[in-house]
Amino acid sequence: MSETAKTPADFWFDPLCPWAWMTSRWMLEVEKVRPVEVRWHVMSLAVLNENRLDELPDEYRELLRTAWGPVRVCIAAEQEHGSEVLGALYTALGTRFHNEGRERNRETILDALAEAGLPASLADAADSDAYDKQLRASHTEGIDLVGQEVGTPVIAVPGSDGEQIAFFGPVVTPAPKGAEAAKLWDGTIMVASIPGFYEIKRTRTQGPIFD
Protein backbone atom coordinates (compact mmCIF):
# COMPACT_ATOMS: atom_id res chain seq x y z
CA MET A 1 0.00 0.00 0.00
CA SER A 2 1.32 3.43 -0.88
CA GLU A 3 2.20 6.07 1.68
CA THR A 4 -0.66 8.26 0.41
CA ALA A 5 -3.16 5.50 1.21
CA LYS A 6 -2.25 5.39 4.88
CA THR A 7 -4.65 6.76 7.48
CA PRO A 8 -3.08 9.61 9.46
CA ALA A 9 -3.29 9.23 13.22
CA ASP A 10 -2.45 12.47 15.05
CA PHE A 11 -0.95 11.70 18.46
CA TRP A 12 -0.46 14.31 21.20
CA PHE A 13 2.03 13.39 23.92
CA ASP A 14 3.89 14.71 26.93
CA PRO A 15 7.16 12.75 27.21
CA LEU A 16 6.84 12.58 31.00
CA CYS A 17 3.60 10.56 31.01
CA PRO A 18 4.27 6.79 31.37
CA TRP A 19 0.80 5.87 30.13
CA ALA A 20 1.17 7.98 27.00
CA TRP A 21 4.51 6.22 26.49
CA MET A 22 2.77 2.83 26.61
CA THR A 23 0.19 4.00 24.09
CA SER A 24 2.82 5.47 21.80
CA ARG A 25 4.74 2.18 21.68
CA TRP A 26 1.48 0.46 20.76
CA MET A 27 0.94 2.98 17.96
CA LEU A 28 4.36 2.13 16.53
CA GLU A 29 3.18 -1.48 16.42
CA VAL A 30 -0.07 -0.39 14.76
CA GLU A 31 1.96 1.20 11.97
CA LYS A 32 3.42 -2.24 11.23
CA VAL A 33 0.10 -4.09 11.04
CA ARG A 34 -2.36 -1.51 9.72
CA PRO A 35 -2.12 1.18 6.99
CA VAL A 36 -1.66 3.93 9.59
CA GLU A 37 0.86 6.76 9.79
CA VAL A 38 1.39 8.41 13.18
CA ARG A 39 1.89 12.17 13.17
CA TRP A 40 3.36 13.36 16.47
CA HIS A 41 2.33 16.53 18.32
CA VAL A 42 3.27 18.03 21.69
CA MET A 43 0.87 18.60 24.56
CA SER A 44 1.76 19.54 28.12
CA LEU A 45 0.66 18.20 31.48
CA ALA A 46 2.11 21.37 33.02
CA VAL A 47 -0.15 23.53 30.87
CA LEU A 48 -3.14 21.24 31.46
CA ASN A 49 -2.81 21.50 35.25
CA GLU A 50 -1.39 24.98 35.75
CA ASN A 51 -4.68 26.41 37.09
CA ARG A 52 -5.37 23.57 39.54
CA LEU A 53 -2.03 23.05 41.27
CA ASP A 54 -3.55 23.63 44.72
CA GLU A 55 -5.81 20.61 44.18
CA LEU A 56 -2.98 18.21 43.38
CA PRO A 57 -0.85 16.03 45.67
CA ASP A 58 2.64 17.31 46.48
CA GLU A 59 4.28 14.50 44.53
CA TYR A 60 2.38 15.34 41.36
CA ARG A 61 3.07 19.06 41.74
CA GLU A 62 6.78 18.23 41.87
CA LEU A 63 6.43 16.13 38.73
CA LEU A 64 4.78 19.04 36.95
CA ARG A 65 7.60 21.35 38.02
CA THR A 66 9.98 19.21 35.98
CA ALA A 67 7.53 18.81 33.11
CA TRP A 68 8.19 22.14 31.40
CA GLY A 69 11.72 21.38 30.22
CA PRO A 70 11.11 18.29 28.06
CA VAL A 71 8.03 19.67 26.28
CA ARG A 72 9.78 22.96 25.63
CA VAL A 73 12.67 21.07 24.04
CA CYS A 74 10.23 19.05 21.93
CA ILE A 75 8.35 22.11 20.68
CA ALA A 76 11.63 23.92 19.96
CA ALA A 77 12.80 20.92 17.91
CA GLU A 78 9.54 20.95 15.96
CA GLN A 79 9.68 24.69 15.32
CA GLU A 80 13.32 24.68 14.24
CA HIS A 81 13.56 21.33 12.42
CA GLY A 82 10.01 20.32 11.47
CA SER A 83 7.42 18.00 12.94
CA GLU A 84 9.07 14.97 11.35
CA VAL A 85 11.78 15.00 14.06
CA LEU A 86 9.32 14.58 16.93
CA GLY A 87 8.90 10.81 16.69
CA ALA A 88 12.61 10.06 17.06
CA LEU A 89 13.05 12.66 19.81
CA TYR A 90 10.06 11.34 21.75
CA THR A 91 11.43 7.79 21.51
CA ALA A 92 14.86 8.93 22.71
CA LEU A 93 13.43 10.90 25.64
CA GLY A 94 10.82 8.33 26.61
CA THR A 95 13.27 5.44 26.59
CA ARG A 96 15.50 7.33 29.00
CA PHE A 97 12.72 8.61 31.26
CA HIS A 98 10.65 5.42 31.46
CA ASN A 99 12.60 2.33 30.45
CA GLU A 100 15.90 3.48 31.94
CA GLY A 101 14.52 5.57 34.81
CA ARG A 102 16.93 8.42 34.18
CA GLU A 103 16.51 11.87 35.69
CA ARG A 104 14.65 14.54 33.75
CA ASN A 105 17.67 16.82 33.57
CA ARG A 106 19.88 18.51 30.99
CA GLU A 107 22.27 15.58 30.69
CA THR A 108 19.46 13.18 29.80
CA ILE A 109 17.97 15.65 27.34
CA LEU A 110 21.38 16.13 25.68
CA ASP A 111 21.77 12.37 25.27
CA ALA A 112 18.30 12.11 23.73
CA LEU A 113 18.99 14.96 21.31
CA ALA A 114 22.20 13.28 20.20
CA GLU A 115 20.41 9.99 19.58
CA ALA A 116 17.73 11.78 17.57
CA GLY A 117 20.38 13.53 15.46
CA LEU A 118 19.42 16.98 16.73
CA PRO A 119 21.72 19.82 17.87
CA ALA A 120 22.66 20.06 21.53
CA SER A 121 21.68 23.73 21.51
CA LEU A 122 18.02 22.69 21.67
CA ALA A 123 18.57 21.71 25.32
CA ASP A 124 18.67 25.42 26.13
CA ALA A 125 14.94 25.57 25.32
CA ALA A 126 14.20 23.66 28.55
CA ASP A 127 14.74 26.87 30.52
CA SER A 128 13.27 29.28 27.97
CA ASP A 129 9.74 30.44 27.25
CA ALA A 130 10.66 31.37 23.66
CA TYR A 131 8.31 28.79 22.17
CA ASP A 132 5.66 28.69 24.90
CA LYS A 133 3.11 30.31 22.58
CA GLN A 134 3.57 27.49 20.08
CA LEU A 135 3.55 24.91 22.89
CA ARG A 136 0.23 26.17 24.18
CA ALA A 137 -1.21 26.25 20.66
CA SER A 138 -0.18 22.64 20.03
CA HIS A 139 -1.56 21.59 23.41
CA THR A 140 -4.85 23.40 22.81
CA GLU A 141 -5.26 21.86 19.36
CA GLY A 142 -5.18 18.38 20.86
CA ILE A 143 -7.08 18.94 24.10
CA ASP A 144 -9.89 20.86 22.36
CA LEU A 145 -10.69 17.71 20.39
CA VAL A 146 -11.52 15.72 23.54
CA GLY A 147 -12.15 18.21 26.37
CA GLN A 148 -10.41 19.36 29.52
CA GLU A 149 -11.30 16.29 31.60
CA VAL A 150 -8.58 14.11 30.06
CA GLY A 151 -4.83 14.19 29.69
CA THR A 152 -2.28 12.61 27.39
CA PRO A 153 -2.33 10.83 25.02
CA VAL A 154 -4.89 12.21 22.59
CA ILE A 155 -5.30 10.44 19.25
CA ALA A 156 -7.30 11.81 16.32
CA VAL A 157 -8.13 10.07 13.03
CA PRO A 158 -10.34 11.03 10.08
CA GLY A 159 -13.94 9.87 10.40
CA SER A 160 -16.17 8.71 7.55
CA ASP A 161 -17.34 12.27 6.96
CA GLY A 162 -13.80 13.69 6.96
CA GLU A 163 -14.10 15.22 10.43
CA GLN A 164 -11.56 14.13 13.03
CA ILE A 165 -12.59 11.48 15.53
CA ALA A 166 -10.54 12.02 18.67
CA PHE A 167 -10.20 10.03 21.87
CA PHE A 168 -8.08 9.86 25.01
CA GLY A 169 -6.04 6.70 25.36
CA PRO A 170 -6.33 3.81 25.08
CA VAL A 171 -4.59 3.24 28.40
CA VAL A 172 -2.91 -0.16 28.22
CA THR A 173 0.05 -2.06 29.67
CA PRO A 174 2.19 -3.60 28.39
CA ALA A 175 2.03 -2.20 24.85
CA PRO A 176 0.31 -4.81 22.63
CA LYS A 177 2.30 -6.16 19.72
CA GLY A 178 1.50 -7.85 16.42
CA ALA A 179 -2.01 -9.19 16.09
CA GLU A 180 -2.97 -7.88 19.53
CA ALA A 181 -1.95 -4.37 18.50
CA ALA A 182 -4.12 -4.65 15.40
CA LYS A 183 -7.07 -5.97 17.40
CA LEU A 184 -6.94 -3.10 19.90
CA TRP A 185 -6.64 -0.54 17.09
CA ASP A 186 -9.63 -1.96 15.21
CA GLY A 187 -11.76 -1.99 18.34
CA THR A 188 -10.74 1.50 19.40
CA ILE A 189 -11.56 2.97 16.00
CA MET A 190 -14.87 1.12 15.96
CA VAL A 191 -16.14 2.43 19.31
CA ALA A 192 -14.74 5.92 18.73
CA SER A 193 -16.75 6.18 15.52
CA ILE A 194 -20.10 5.53 17.22
CA PRO A 195 -22.06 8.82 17.63
CA GLY A 196 -22.64 9.52 21.31
CA PHE A 197 -19.98 7.10 22.54
CA TYR A 198 -17.79 8.62 25.27
CA GLU A 199 -16.07 6.22 27.61
CA ILE A 200 -15.20 2.70 28.70
CA LYS A 201 -13.13 2.48 31.87
CA ARG A 202 -12.03 0.22 34.70
CA THR A 203 -9.68 0.61 37.67
CA ARG A 204 -6.01 0.12 36.87
CA THR A 205 -4.60 -2.81 38.83
CA GLN A 206 -0.98 -2.57 37.66
CA GLY A 207 1.45 0.11 36.63
CA PRO A 208 3.15 0.60 33.26
CA ILE A 209 5.22 -2.36 32.10
CA PHE A 210 8.17 -1.15 30.05
CA ASP A 211 9.78 -3.62 27.68
Coordinates of all heavy atoms in Angstrom, one line a residue, residues 34-99:
R34 N -1.2 -2.2 10.3 CA -2.4 -1.5 9.7 C -1.8 -0.4 8.9 O -0.8 0.2 9.2 CB -3.3 -1.0 10.8 CG -4.1 -2.1 11.5 CD -5.1 -2.7 10.5 NE -6.0 -3.7 11.2 CZ -5.7 -5.0 11.2 NH1 -4.6 -5.5 10.7 NH2 -6.5 -5.9 11.8
P35 N -2.6 0.1 7.8 CA -2.1 1.2 7.0 C -2.3 2.5 7.7 O -3.2 3.3 7.3 CB -3.0 1.0 5.7 CG -4.2 0.4 6.2 CD -3.8 -0.6 7.3
V36 N -1.5 2.7 8.7 CA -1.7 3.9 9.6 C -0.3 4.6 9.6 O 0.7 4.0 9.7 CB -2.1 3.5 11.0 CG1 -2.0 4.7 12.0 CG2 -3.6 3.0 11.0
E37 N -0.3 5.9 9.6 CA 0.9 6.8 9.8 C 0.7 7.7 11.0 O -0.3 8.5 10.9 CB 1.2 7.6 8.5 CG 2.4 8.5 8.7 CD 2.6 9.4 7.4 OE1 1.7 9.4 6.6 OE2 3.7 10.0 7.4
V38 N 1.5 7.6 12.0 CA 1.4 8.4 13.2 C 2.1 9.8 12.9 O 3.2 9.8 12.4 CB 2.1 7.7 14.4 CG1 1.9 8.6 15.6 CG2 1.4 6.4 14.7
R39 N 1.3 10.8 13.3 CA 1.9 12.2 13.2 C 1.9 12.7 14.6 O 0.9 12.8 15.3 CB 1.0 13.1 12.3 CG 0.9 12.5 10.9 CD 0.2 13.4 9.9 NE -1.2 13.8 10.3 CZ -2.1 14.3 9.5 NH1 -1.8 14.5 8.2 NH2 -3.3 14.6 9.9
W40 N 3.1 13.0 15.1 CA 3.4 13.4 16.5 C 3.2 14.8 16.7 O 3.5 15.7 15.9 CB 4.8 12.9 16.9 CG 5.0 11.5 16.6 CD1 5.7 11.0 15.6 CD2 4.6 10.4 17.4 NE1 5.8 9.6 15.7 CE2 5.1 9.2 16.8 CE3 3.9 10.3 18.6 CZ2 4.9 7.9 17.3 CZ3 3.7 9.0 19.2 CH2 4.2 7.9 18.5
H41 N 2.6 15.1 17.9 CA 2.3 16.5 18.3 C 2.6 16.6 19.8 O 2.5 15.6 20.6 CB 0.9 16.9 18.1 CG 0.4 16.8 16.7 ND1 0.6 17.7 15.7 CD2 -0.2 15.7 16.1 CE1 0.1 17.2 14.5 NE2 -0.4 16.0 14.8
V42 N 2.9 17.8 20.3 CA 3.3 18.0 21.7 C 2.1 18.6 22.4 O 1.4 19.5 22.0 CB 4.4 19.0 21.8 CG1 4.9 19.2 23.3 CG2 5.6 18.6 21.0
M43 N 1.8 18.0 23.6 CA 0.9 18.6 24.6 C 1.6 18.6 25.9 O 2.7 18.1 26.0 CB -0.5 17.9 24.6 CG -0.4 16.5 25.2 SD -2.1 15.7 25.2 CE -2.9 16.8 26.4
S44 N 1.0 19.3 26.9 CA 1.8 19.5 28.1 C 0.9 19.3 29.4 O -0.1 20.0 29.5 CB 2.3 21.0 28.1 OG 2.8 21.3 29.4
L45 N 1.3 18.4 30.2 CA 0.7 18.2 31.5 C 0.8 19.4 32.4 O -0.1 19.7 33.2 CB 1.2 17.0 32.2 CG 0.9 15.6 31.5 CD1 1.7 14.5 32.2 CD2 -0.6 15.3 31.5
A46 N 1.9 20.1 32.2 CA 2.1 21.4 33.0 C 1.1 22.4 32.6 O 0.5 23.1 33.5 CB 3.5 21.9 32.8
V47 N 0.9 22.6 31.3 CA -0.2 23.5 30.9 C -1.5 23.1 31.3 O -2.4 23.9 31.8 CB -0.1 23.7 29.3 CG1 -1.3 24.5 28.8 CG2 1.2 24.4 28.9
L48 N -1.8 21.8 31.1 CA -3.1 21.2 31.5 C -3.5 21.5 32.9 O -4.7 21.8 33.2 CB -3.2 19.7 31.2 CG -4.5 19.0 31.4 CD1 -5.5 19.4 30.4 CD2 -4.3 17.5 31.3
N49 N -2.5 21.4 33.8 CA -2.8 21.5 35.2 C -2.4 22.8 35.9 O -2.5 22.9 37.1 CB -2.1 20.3 36.0 CG -2.7 19.0 35.6 OD1 -3.7 18.6 36.1 ND2 -2.0 18.2 34.8
E50 N -2.0 23.8 35.1 CA -1.4 25.0 35.8 C -2.4 25.8 36.6 O -2.0 26.5 37.5 CB -0.8 25.9 34.7 CG -1.7 26.5 33.7 CD -1.0 27.3 32.6 OE1 0.2 27.6 32.8 OE2 -1.6 27.5 31.6
N51 N -3.7 25.6 36.3 CA -4.7 26.4 37.1 C -5.3 25.6 38.2 O -6.3 26.1 38.9 CB -5.8 26.9 36.1 CG -5.2 27.9 35.2 OD1 -4.4 28.8 35.5 ND2 -5.7 27.9 33.9
R52 N -4.8 24.4 38.5 CA -5.4 23.6 39.5 C -4.3 22.9 40.4 O -4.5 21.9 41.0 CB -6.3 22.5 38.9 CG -5.6 21.6 37.9 CD -6.6 20.7 37.2 NE -7.2 19.7 38.2 CZ -6.7 18.5 38.3 NH1 -5.7 18.1 37.6 NH2 -7.2 17.7 39.2
L53 N -3.1 23.6 40.5 CA -2.0 23.1 41.3 C -2.4 22.9 42.7 O -1.9 21.9 43.4 CB -0.8 24.0 41.1 CG -0.2 24.0 39.7 CD1 1.0 25.0 39.7 CD2 0.3 22.6 39.3
D54 N -3.2 23.7 43.3 CA -3.6 23.6 44.7 C -4.4 22.4 45.0 O -4.4 21.9 46.2 CB -4.3 24.9 45.2 CG -3.5 26.1 45.2 OD1 -2.2 26.0 45.2 OD2 -4.0 27.2 45.2
E55 N -5.0 21.8 44.0 CA -5.8 20.6 44.2 C -5.0 19.3 44.1 O -5.5 18.2 44.4 CB -6.9 20.6 43.1 CG -7.8 21.8 43.0 CD -8.6 21.8 41.8 OE1 -8.8 20.7 41.2 OE2 -9.1 22.9 41.4
L56 N -3.8 19.4 43.7 CA -3.0 18.2 43.4 C -2.1 17.8 44.5 O -1.7 18.6 45.3 CB -2.1 18.5 42.1 CG -2.9 18.9 40.9 CD1 -1.9 19.3 39.8 CD2 -3.8 17.8 40.4
P57 N -1.8 16.5 44.6 CA -0.8 16.0 45.7 C 0.5 16.6 45.5 O 0.9 17.0 44.3 CB -0.8 14.5 45.5 CG -2.0 14.2 44.7 CD -2.3 15.4 43.8
D58 N 1.3 16.7 46.6 CA 2.6 17.3 46.5 C 3.5 16.6 45.5 O 4.3 17.2 44.7 CB 3.3 17.3 47.9 CG 2.6 18.2 48.8 OD1 1.9 19.1 48.4 OD2 2.8 18.0 50.1
E59 N 3.4 15.3 45.4 CA 4.3 14.5 44.5 C 4.0 14.8 43.1 O 4.9 15.0 42.3 CB 4.1 13.0 44.8 CG 4.9 12.1 43.9 CD 4.7 10.6 44.2 OE1 3.9 10.3 45.1 OE2 5.3 9.8 43.5
Y60 N 2.7 15.0 42.7 CA 2.4 15.3 41.4 C 2.8 16.8 41.0 O 3.2 17.1 39.9 CB 0.9 15.1 41.1 CG 0.5 15.0 39.6 CD1 1.0 14.0 38.8 CD2 -0.3 16.0 39.1 CE1 0.7 14.0 37.5 CE2 -0.6 16.0 37.7 CZ -0.1 14.9 36.9 OH -0.4 14.9 35.6
R61 N 2.6 17.7 42.0 CA 3.1 19.1 41.7 C 4.6 19.1 41.4 O 5.0 19.9 40.6 CB 2.7 19.9 42.9 CG 1.3 20.3 43.0 CD 1.1 21.6 43.9 NE 1.6 21.5 45.2 CZ 0.9 21.0 46.2 NH1 -0.4 20.7 46.0 NH2 1.4 20.9 47.4
E62 N 5.3 18.3 42.1 CA 6.8 18.2 41.9 C 7.1 17.7 40.5 O 7.9 18.2 39.8 CB 7.5 17.4 42.9 CG 9.0 17.2 42.7 CD 9.8 18.5 42.7 OE1 9.3 19.5 43.2 OE2 10.9 18.5 42.1
L63 N 6.3 16.7 40.1 CA 6.4 16.1 38.7 C 6.2 17.2 37.7 O 6.9 17.4 36.7 CB 5.5 15.0 38.5 CG 5.4 14.4 37.1 CD1 6.6 13.7 36.7 CD2 4.1 13.5 36.9
L64 N 5.1 18.0 37.9 CA 4.8 19.0 37.0 C 5.8 20.1 36.9 O 6.0 20.8 35.9 CB 3.4 19.6 37.3 CG 2.2 18.7 37.1 CD1 0.9 19.4 37.6 CD2 2.1 18.2 35.7
R65 N 6.5 20.4 38.0 CA 7.6 21.4 38.0 C 8.7 21.0 37.0 O 9.3 21.8 36.4 CB 8.2 21.5 39.4 CG 9.2 22.6 39.6 CD 9.9 22.6 40.9 NE 10.7 21.4 41.1 CZ 11.9 21.2 40.6 NH1 12.4 22.1 39.8 NH2 12.5 20.1 40.8
T66 N 8.9 19.7 36.9 CA 10.0 19.2 36.0 C 9.4 18.9 34.6 O 10.2 18.5 33.7 CB 10.6 17.9 36.5 OG1 9.7 16.9 36.5 CG2 11.1 18.1 37.9
A67 N 8.2 19.2 34.4 CA 7.5 18.8 33.1 C 7.7 19.9 32.0 O 7.6 19.5 30.8 CB 6.0 18.6 33.3
W68 N 8.1 21.1 32.4 CA 8.2 22.1 31.4 C 9.4 21.9 30.5 O 9.3 22.1 29.2 CB 8.3 23.5 32.1 CG 7.1 24.0 32.6 CD1 6.7 24.0 33.9 CD2 6.0 24.7 31.9 NE1 5.4 24.6 34.1 CE2 5.0 25.0 32.8 CE3 5.8 25.0 30.6 CZ2 3.8 25.7 32.5 CZ3 4.6 25.6 30.2 CH2 3.7 26.0 31.1
G69 N 10.5 21.5 31.0 CA 11.7 21.4 30.2 C 11.6 20.5 29.0 O 11.9 20.9 27.9
P70 N 11.2 19.2 29.2 CA 11.1 18.3 28.1 C 10.1 18.7 27.0 O 10.4 18.6 25.8 CB 10.7 17.0 28.7 CG 11.2 17.0 30.1 CD 11.0 18.5 30.5
V71 N 9.0 19.2 27.3 CA 8.0 19.7 26.3 C 8.5 20.9 25.6 O 8.3 21.1 24.4 CB 6.6 19.9 26.8 CG1 6.0 18.6 27.2 CG2 6.6 20.9 28.0
R72 N 9.2 21.8 26.3 CA 9.8 23.0 25.6 C 10.9 22.6 24.6 O 11.0 23.1 23.5 CB 10.4 23.9 26.7 CG 9.3 24.8 27.4 CD 9.9 25.5 28.5 NE 9.0 26.6 29.0 CZ 9.1 27.3 30.1 NH1 10.1 27.0 30.9 NH2 8.3 28.3 30.4
V73 N 11.7 21.6 25.0 CA 12.7 21.1 24.0 C 12.0 20.4 22.8 O 12.4 20.7 21.7 CB 13.6 20.1 24.7 CG1 14.5 19.4 23.7 CG2 14.4 20.8 25.8
C74 N 10.9 19.7 23.0 CA 10.2 19.1 21.9 C 9.6 20.1 21.0 O 9.7 20.0 19.8 CB 9.1 18.1 22.5 SG 9.7 16.6 23.2
I75 N 9.0 21.1 21.6 CA 8.4 22.1 20.7 C 9.4 22.9 20.0 O 9.2 23.3 18.8 CB 7.4 23.0 21.5 CG1 6.3 23.6 20.5 CG2 8.1 24.1 22.3 CD1 5.3 22.6 20.0
A76 N 10.5 23.2 20.6 CA 11.6 23.9 20.0 C 12.2 23.1 18.8 O 12.5 23.6 17.7 CB 12.7 24.2 21.0
A77 N 12.3 21.8 19.0 CA 12.8 20.9 17.9 C 11.8 21.0 16.7 O 12.3 21.0 15.6 CB 13.0 19.5 18.4
E78 N 10.5 20.9 17.0 CA 9.5 21.0 16.0 C 9.6 22.3 15.2 O 9.6 22.3 14.0 CB 8.1 20.7 16.5 CG 7.1 20.8 15.5 CD 5.7 20.8 16.1 OE1 5.4 21.4 17.1 OE2 4.8 20.1 15.5
Q79 N 9.7 23.4 15.9 CA 9.7 24.7 15.3 C 10.9 24.9 14.5 O 10.9 25.6 13.4 CB 9.6 25.8 16.4 CG 8.2 25.8 17.1 CD 7.1 26.1 16.2 OE1 7.1 27.0 15.4 NE2 6.1 25.2 16.2
E80 N 12.1 24.4 14.9 CA 13.3 24.7 14.2 C 13.7 23.6 13.2 O 14.4 23.9 12.3 CB 14.4 24.8 15.3 CG 14.3 26.0 16.2 CD 15.4 26.1 17.2 OE1 16.5 25.6 16.9 OE2 15.2 26.8 18.2
H81 N 13.1 22.4 13.3 CA 13.6 21.3 12.4 C 12.4 20.6 11.8 O 12.6 19.6 11.0 CB 14.5 20.4 13.2 CG 15.7 21.0 13.7 ND1 16.8 21.2 12.9 CD2 16.0 21.5 14.9 CE1 17.8 21.8 13.7 NE2 17.3 22.0 14.9
G82 N 11.2 21.0 12.1 CA 10.0 20.3 11.5 C 9.4 19.2 12.3 O 10.1 18.6 13.1
S83 N 8.1 19.0 12.1 CA 7.4 18.0 12.9 C 7.9 16.6 12.7 O 7.7 15.7 13.6 CB 5.9 18.1 12.6 OG 5.7 17.8 11.3
E84 N 8.6 16.3 11.6 CA 9.1 15.0 11.4 C 10.2 14.5 12.3 O 10.4 13.3 12.4 CB 9.6 14.9 9.9 CG 10.8 15.7 9.6 CD 10.4 17.1 9.1 OE1 9.2 17.5 9.3 OE2 11.3 17.8 8.6
V85 N 10.7 15.4 13.1 CA 11.8 15.0 14.1 C 11.2 14.6 15.4 O 11.9 14.0 16.2 CB 12.8 16.1 14.3 CG1 13.4 16.6 13.0 CG2 12.2 17.3 15.1
L86 N 9.9 14.8 15.6 CA 9.3 14.6 16.9 C 9.3 13.1 17.3 O 9.5 12.8 18.5 CB 7.9 15.2 17.0 CG 7.8 16.7 17.2 CD1 6.4 17.1 17.2 CD2 8.5 17.1 18.6
G87 N 9.0 12.2 16.4 CA 8.9 10.8 16.7 C 10.2 10.3 17.2 O 10.2 9.6 18.3
A88 N 11.3 10.6 16.6 CA 12.6 10.1 17.1 C 13.0 10.7 18.4 O 13.6 10.0 19.3 CB 13.7 10.3 16.0
L89 N 12.7 12.0 18.6 CA 13.0 12.7 19.8 C 12.2 12.1 21.0 O 12.7 11.9 22.1 CB 12.9 14.2 19.7 CG 13.2 15.0 20.9 CD1 14.6 14.7 21.4 CD2 13.0 16.5 20.6
Y90 N 10.9 11.9 20.7 CA 10.1 11.3 21.7 C 10.6 9.9 22.2 O 10.6 9.6 23.4 CB 8.6 11.3 21.2 CG 7.6 10.7 22.2 CD1 7.8 10.8 23.6 CD2 6.4 10.1 21.7 CE1 6.8 10.3 24.5 CE2 5.5 9.6 22.6 CZ 5.7 9.7 23.9 OH 4.7 9.2 24.8
T91 N 10.9 9.1 21.2 CA 11.4 7.8 21.5 C 12.7 7.9 22.3 O 12.9 7.1 23.3 CB 11.7 7.0 20.2 OG1 10.4 6.7 19.6 CG2 12.4 5.7 20.5
A92 N 13.6 8.8 22.0 CA 14.9 8.9 22.7 C 14.6 9.4 24.1 O 15.2 8.9 25.1 CB 15.8 9.9 22.0
L93 N 13.7 10.4 24.3 CA 13.4 10.9 25.6 C 12.7 9.9 26.5 O 13.0 9.6 27.6 CB 12.6 12.2 25.5 CG 13.3 13.5 25.1 CD1 12.3 14.5 24.8 CD2 14.2 14.0 26.2
G94 N 11.6 9.3 25.9 CA 10.8 8.3 26.6 C 11.6 7.1 27.0 O 11.4 6.6 28.2
T95 N 12.5 6.6 26.2 CA 13.3 5.4 26.6 C 14.1 5.7 27.8 O 14.2 4.9 28.7 CB 14.2 5.0 25.4 OG1 13.4 4.7 24.3 CG2 15.1 3.8 25.8
R96 N 14.7 6.9 27.9 CA 15.5 7.3 29.0 C 14.7 7.6 30.3 O 15.0 7.2 31.4 CB 16.3 8.6 28.6 CG 17.5 8.2 27.7 CD 18.0 9.4 27.0 NE 19.2 9.1 26.2 CZ 19.2 8.4 25.0 NH1 18.0 8.1 24.5 NH2 20.3 8.1 24.4
F97 N 13.5 8.3 30.1 CA 12.7 8.6 31.3 C 12.1 7.4 31.8 O 12.0 7.2 33.1 CB 11.6 9.6 30.9 CG 12.1 11.0 30.5 CD1 11.3 11.8 29.8 CD2 13.4 11.4 31.0 CE1 11.8 13.1 29.5 CE2 13.8 12.7 30.6 CZ 13.0 13.6 29.9
H98 N 11.5 6.5 31.0 CA 10.6 5.4 31.5 C 11.4 4.1 31.5 O 11.4 3.5 32.6 CB 9.4 5.3 30.6 CG 8.7 6.6 30.5 ND1 8.1 7.2 31.6 CD2 8.4 7.4 29.4 CE1 7.5 8.4 31.2 NE2 7.7 8.5 29.9
N99 N 11.9 3.6 30.4 CA 12.6 2.3 30.4 C 13.9 2.3 31.3 O 14.1 1.4 32.0 CB 12.9 1.9 29.0 CG 11.7 1.7 28.2 OD1 11.0 2.7 27.9 ND2 11.4 0.5 27.8

